[in-house]
Each structure stands twice: as structure tokens, then as C-alpha cells.
Amino acid sequence: MKAPRFAYRRPESLDEVLQLLAEHGEEARILAGGQSLMPTLNMRLSRPRLLIDINRIDELRGISFEDGTVRIGALARHAEVMDSPVVAEHLPMIAEAMPHVAHVAIRNRGTFGGSIALADPAAELPACAVALGAEFVLASARGRRTVAARSFFNGLYETERADDELLVETRIPAIESGYRSSFMELARRHGDFALAGVCCHAKVDGGVLSDVRLAYFGSEDRPRFADAASAAAEGKAWSDDVKEAVKTALGDDLDPIGNFHASAATRLHLARVLTGRAIDRMVAAG
Ligand SMILES: Cc1cc2nc3c(=O)[nH]c(=O)nc-3n(C[C@H](O)[C@H](O)[C@H](O)COP(=O)(O)OP(=O)(O)OC[C@H]3O[C@@H](n4cnc5c(N)ncnc54)[C@H](O)[C@@H]3O)c2cc1C
């Protein structure tokens, strides 16, 4: 099928993008890497009147580190994030997750901001952002605001972003001394969206875990921070008993959605198994 008719604009400045968004609101869509947007147009799942191509806006590019925070511009391609020494040094969870995001051709065009704005519940990067305490910077003709990742995702492809707002950048606290991260997912084929996945982040001191942060993707309609499971590991020396307690507590956090790929019970089981393995690996790493 071919996409429905749409108007196309390729602004040269951020102000121009924001002005177009202010004028056209929900009738417009931002075109970043196009890896998700173009298929939805071609399948006629979406019929925007206007595409606003942001690929000429240089201030949306780049990855940098300053004052303990990594800034990832909305237009940073997945491939750039994957190859970034800044990400490798300061965000090991994201570095570990990147090879699981789609395939090489899609990573060459797809953008970090596009993945966050799209809010696919099976995507890796939104869950990493939730686990790591990221913040998203949104700009509109009305001004700028920052939204914490944990309050950004509202449901299936639904976020706090208003129709006239552009995601400009993501700010993620760099990993601190004594902390470790671990990422694991299960997909039918490498590069497919995951059936279940976990992002773990914690301080590990002689096998004792603290500031434990567990976030999940591929289970529900949005990435989920697991309060009960994280609390079950807090301040504990990692052991088989604690592992079982964390897995049990996860049942209070997750209410997975079953579909033809996997039932709800299977997804919860997979999330539990992945959690045990991911924390095993995190603790053993030091
Ligand atoms: C076959 C296939 C497999 C894939 N597998 C995976 C996978 O395993 N894991 C995974 O995470 N992703 C996967 N993806 C998605 C891929 O990562 C996309 O690149 C990404 O989700 C969207 O990025 P994009 O830059 O292409 O966004 P686009 O397609 O350009 O845009 C996606 C949506 O976000 C909006 N948008 C984009 N940027 C902004 C912004 N800065 N501000 C506001 N709104 C914005 C657009 O308007 C659109 O609604 C897959 C895609 C395909 C086609």
C-alpha cells in the first residue's frame, strides 16, 4: 500500500519546527528516522496532514557528557549511540541494550528521540530511561519543560508529550562509582521486539545491593518500574532466598498483557527468570 497524501516541510531551524507544531498540532507528525512512522503511513494506520522533517536541525544531534549527566540529542541515531565512547563509559546499560534494538539498517536511520517519543511498550530504550532516572526535555512555542522518564509513558504509544511539543533531548545520570547495570531480553529472533526484558541498576558492595532499580519492557502497555521487586532486593546480600523473594514480589509489580506471541503467565515467568539471571550477572561482574 502507499501512504495517504500529506504535505511535507523540512525546516532549517528549531523555531520553525516549533511554529509549525503550534500551527498544526495533532494534524502534524515529526519525521525523525522514519523507521516506525513510514510503515504506519504505508499501512494507513496513521493519516497526518503534514510531516515535519527535523533532520536539518543540528542542535538536535550529538551525545555529550557534562556534570555527571549524559545528553543524547533527539536525532542521535541508534548506530551513533551504539558506537559512542561516552555511552560505553557512562551508560553501560544503554551500551548493552543497543545491539538488541532492531537491525543494522534500522539502527542507521532510527533515532534515540524517535524511540522515546514513539513509546512502543516492547522497546528497549524507554525502559532503560525509566531504570536510569532519565529526564526528557520537551520544547514548544510556549517554552521548555522537563519530564521524568517514570512519569512520561502513559500507555500504548501514549506519552506526556503534547501535540505541539518536540522531544529535544534526553538527559541521563552517568553511572556512579560502585554502581553496576545489567540488561537482558528474550526475543524470538535477535533484533525482534522482545517478549520480555529487564533493566537492572544498583549499587553493589561485597554482594550487597542498594539503590536497586528494576524496570521492565515487553510485559505491559508501557515500561514499568518495579517498586516491589526493587524493594525486595534493597539492602540485601544477593542469595537464592533473596532471588526468590524478588521473583515473588515481581508478581505485585507486573500485570503482563498476553497475546498470540506469549500468554500473560509466560511473560511474567520470563520476566522472573531474566531478573534472576540479570542480577546474578550484575553481582558476579565485580
Ligand atoms: C522491522 C523493525 C524492527 C524494529 N525493532 C525494534 C526493536 O527491537 N526495538 C526497538 O526499540 N525498536 C525497534 N524498531 C523501531 C526503531 O527503533 C525505530 O527507529 C524507532 O522506534 C523510531 O525511531 P525513528 O527515528 O525511526 O522515528 P520515526 O519513525 O521518525 O518516528 C516515530 C514516532 O515518533 C515521533 N517522533 C520522532 N521523533 C520525535 C521527536 N524528536 N519529538 C517528538 N516526536 C517525535 C514521530 O512523529 C512518530 O510518531 C523496529 C523497527 C522496525 C521497522
Side-chain angles (χ1 to χ4, degrees), residues 33-36 77-79 101-111 191:
Q35 300 304 294
S36 299
R77 311 277 170 201
H78 297 321
V101 176
H103 312 277
V104 173
I106 293 161
R107 289 199 294 265
N108 284 339
R109 291 298 302 169
T111 63

Side-chain angles (χ1 to χ4, degrees), residues 112-183:
F112 198 93
S115 179
I116 299 297
L118 181 66
D120 189 305
E124 290 82 1
L125 301 175
C128 290
V130 166
L132 295 173
E135 291 179 335
F136 305 128
V137 180
L138 302 170
S140 71
R142 297 172 286 126
R144 284 193 178 218
R145 65 183 179 125
T146 301
V147 181
R150 274 201 226 177
S151 5
F152 184 72
F153 300 100
N154 289 337
L156 189 66
Y157 306 120
E158 294 286 337
T159 71
E160 278 293 305
R161 187 183 71 82
D163 288 329
D164 66 342
E165 287 181 311
L166 178 76
L167 173 62
V168 174
E169 68 185 35
T170 299
R171 295 179 186 158
I172 312 178
I175 192 162
E176 291 176 49
S177 167
Y179 279 73
R180 291 183 206 155
S181 285
S182 182
F183 172 95

Side-chain angles (χ1 to χ4, degrees), residues 207-282:
V208 177
L209 301 166
S210 58
D211 194 10
V212 182
R213 288 180 252 158
L214 300 171
Y216 293 81
F217 57 99
S219 296
E220 302 186 354
D221 64 353
R222 68 195 79 178
R224 173 70 64 200
F225 187 88
D227 289 295
S230 302
E234 188 64 35
K236 307 272 173 43
W238 188 238
S239 65
D240 287 346
D241 287 348
V242 175
K243 189 189 294 186
E244 283 315 306
V246 169
K247 288 182 180 180
T248 303
L250 193 55
D252 293 334
D253 291 311
L254 289 186
D255 187 10
I257 298 169
N259 61 19
F260 60 89
H261 293 299
S263 68
T266 300
R267 286 178 194 271
L268 180 57
H269 171 75
L270 294 175
R272 283 175 162 148
V273 172
L274 290 176
T275 304
R277 290 182 188 171
I279 303 181
D280 280 348
R281 199 175 65 191
M282 195 168 75

Side-chain angles (χ1 to χ4, degrees), residues 27-210:
E27 299 279 300
R29 289 286 181 289
I30 296 295
L31 173 63
Q35 300 304 294
S36 299
L37 180 61
M38 296 319 292
T40 62
L41 295 187
N42 289 339
M43 288 186 275
R44 304 210 170 192
L45 298 171
S46 170
R47 292 170 176 269
R49 304 266 295 261
L50 171 68
L51 294 195
I52 305 169
D53 184 340
I54 56 172
N55 283 278
R56 287 201 174 159
I57 314 299
D58 284 340
E59 58 204 282
L60 300 177
R61 299 186 198 288
I63 300 166
S64 56
F65 172 72
E66 202 180 326
D67 294 335
T69 300
V70 177
R71 169 204 170 270
I72 303 183
L75 269 184
R77 311 277 170 201
H78 297 321
E80 282 174 65
V81 178
M82 193 163 155
D83 293 344
S84 162
V86 171
V87 171
E89 180 178 352
H90 298 293
L91 302 175
M93 179 192 292
I94 304 246
E96 207 180 341
M98 284 317 300
H100 297 276
V101 176
H103 312 277
V104 173
I106 293 161
R107 289 199 294 265
N108 284 339
R109 291 298 302 169
T111 63
F112 198 93
S115 179
I116 299 297
L118 181 66
D120 189 305
E124 290 82 1
L125 301 175
C128 290
V130 166
L132 295 173
E135 291 179 335
F136 305 128
V137 180
L138 302 170
S140 71
R142 297 172 286 126
R144 284 193 178 218
R145 65 183 179 125
T146 301
V147 181
R150 274 201 226 177
S151 5
F152 184 72
F153 300 100
N154 289 337
L156 189 66
Y157 306 120
E158 294 286 337
T159 71
E160 278 293 305
R161 187 183 71 82
D163 288 329
D164 66 342
E165 287 181 311
L166 178 76
L167 173 62
V168 174
E169 68 185 35
T170 299
R171 295 179 186 158
I172 312 178
I175 192 162
E176 291 176 49
S177 167
Y179 279 73
R180 291 183 206 155
S181 285
S182 182
F183 172 95
M184 267 192 200
E185 73 168 46
L186 185 80
R188 284 191 191 277
R189 295 172 305 184
H190 187 87
D192 281 2
F193 280 107
L195 294 175
V198 59
C199 309
C200 311
H201 189 72
K203 190 168 189 183
V204 185
D205 186 359
V208 177
L209 301 166
S210 58

